[in-house]
Amino acid sequence: MNTQTNLDELLSLSRFLGEEHRGLAILGEGNTSARIDAETFLVKASGSCLQTLAEDDVVACRFDKLLPMLELDALSDQEIEDHLLACRVDPESKKPSVETLFHAYLLSLPDIHFIGHTHSIPVNQILCSPRAEEFATRKRFPDEVVCCGAQSVFVPYTDPGLKLSQSIRDKTKAYLAEFGTPPRVILLANHGLITLGKTPGAVKAAMLMAHKSAEIFVGAAALGGPVFMSDADVDRIANRRDEHYRQRALKL
């Protein structure tokens, strides 16, 4: 892959997700990443802002310095810090985000080349409520199925860092075993959401549709709902030939 092309696409995606009017991320919230090749990937630096992300706010990291961490039982905060600094391709670059480890895992999945993680306001309204898992596993309208998949991965609240990355790995592996394909949306209780895909467009589509779906869920809940689609209706949309054509046209 072309590193500069991936960097340009990552910067564009990051700034799009970070625009304040979208209600997805403010200040230093959220992070993004892009796969370069089998050995390396790009990720947002710790503390940088998505809306104003610049080239020097992006860090190239090595998969092989991070993925083995997922097999460890525990690491101190200092040990995690040391691993994050050691994974940098350029030792003079900024420190990667503390959530770099889950980016490394998700970017190692088949056909996953870009990732966005935000703290969408309406999504977090639900993820900070008793109805969080219901939001992840049941669908409300056809376009949500098309852009976000028939189900999302739901991860109960876990301390950000190693433990969260391990939980994301375990829940994603279970999803892969059941559905045979990586998820498009991962929902983190009391935290935020992750969207992933082959292209920046796939990440945007899933992020914006999850954001819209959350707004609909919250509004419907206030009116006595929401009313969910049946499993048969969700399966029908997920497997319709015309919807697959639309997914290809949208580069999902």
Side-chain angles (χ1 to χ4, degrees), residues 4 47 86 219:
Q4 187 61 48

Side-chain angles (χ1 to χ4, degrees), residues 186-197:
I186 299 173
L187 298 167
L188 312 175
N190 300 89
H191 185 153
L193 75 158
I194 302 165
T195 61
L196 48 159

Side-chain angles (χ1 to χ4, degrees), residues 60 72 75 82 94 109 111 121 153 163 165 169 186 238 242:
L72 301 176
L75 288 172
D82 292 343
K94 295 180 180 180
L109 299 177
D111 289 328
I121 293 171
V153 169
K163 293 300 182 185
S165 298
R169 175 202 58 186
I186 299 173
D242 58 330

Side-chain angles (χ1 to χ4, degrees), residues 17-26 29-31 50 116-129 135 148 185-195 203-204 206-218:
L17 297 178
E19 290 177 358
E20 282 195 25
H21 71 90
R22 299 190 192 284
L24 297 171
I26 61 172
E29 287 184 339
N31 37 68
L50 286 175
H117 167 49
T118 73
H119 300 168
S120 159
I121 293 171
V123 171
N124 266 346
Q125 286 179 324
I126 301 167
L127 295 180
C128 294
S129 82
F135 176 69
C148 299
V185 178
I186 299 173
L187 298 167
L188 312 175
N190 300 89
H191 185 153
L193 75 158
I194 302 165
T195 61
V203 172
K204 286 182 187 179
M207 186 71 70
L208 295 178
M209 194 59 70
H211 184 84
K212 174 183 174 179
S213 175
E215 291 181 320
I216 290 172
F217 187 105
V218 171

Side-chain angles (χ1 to χ4, degrees), residues 57-229:
D57 295 321
V58 176
V59 187
C61 300
R62 295 184 179 88
F63 285 106
D64 64 1
K65 297 291 186 181
L66 291 166
L67 293 178
M69 292 171 63
L70 291 169
E71 307 306 321
L72 301 176
D73 291 334
L75 288 172
S76 68
D77 290 344
Q78 184 58 55
E79 287 172 324
I80 291 173
E81 177 100 351
D82 292 343
H83 278 281
L84 288 173
L85 294 174
C87 80
R88 296 172 298 172
V89 172
D90 178 0
E92 299 302 315
S93 61
K94 295 180 180 180
K95 188 182 81 170
S97 164
V98 71
E99 293 170 331
T100 295
L101 183 53
F102 77 63
H103 284 272
Y105 168 70
L106 294 173
L107 287 170
S108 73
L109 299 177
D111 289 328
I112 300 301
H113 295 161
F114 290 90
I115 293 170
H117 167 49
T118 73
H119 300 168
S120 159
I121 293 171
V123 171
N124 266 346
Q125 286 179 324
I126 301 167
L127 295 180
C128 294
S129 82
R131 305 195 72 171
E133 189 164 8
E134 187 180 34
F135 176 69
T137 56
R138 305 190 67 184
K139 297 301 173 185
R140 290 141 290 275
F141 55 94
D143 278 349
E144 184 185 18
V145 179
V146 171
C147 293
C148 299
Q151 284 194 26
S152 302
V153 169
F154 177 72
V155 181
Y157 182 78
T158 309
D159 186 45
L162 177 62
K163 293 300 182 185
L164 176 60
S165 298
Q166 289 171 329
S167 294
I168 290 171
R169 175 202 58 186
D170 293 346
K171 295 291 185 179
T172 301
K173 281 186 174 181
Y175 185 98
L176 281 163
E178 181 174 356
F179 296 99
T181 185
R184 294 183 188 160
V185 178
I186 299 173
L187 298 167
L188 312 175
N190 300 89
H191 185 153
L193 75 158
I194 302 165
T195 61
L196 48 159
K198 192 170 185 177
T199 66
V203 172
K204 286 182 187 179
M207 186 71 70
L208 295 178
M209 194 59 70
H211 184 84
K212 174 183 174 179
S213 175
E215 291 181 320
I216 290 172
F217 187 105
V218 171
L223 297 172
V227 175
F228 298 104
M229 296 172 66

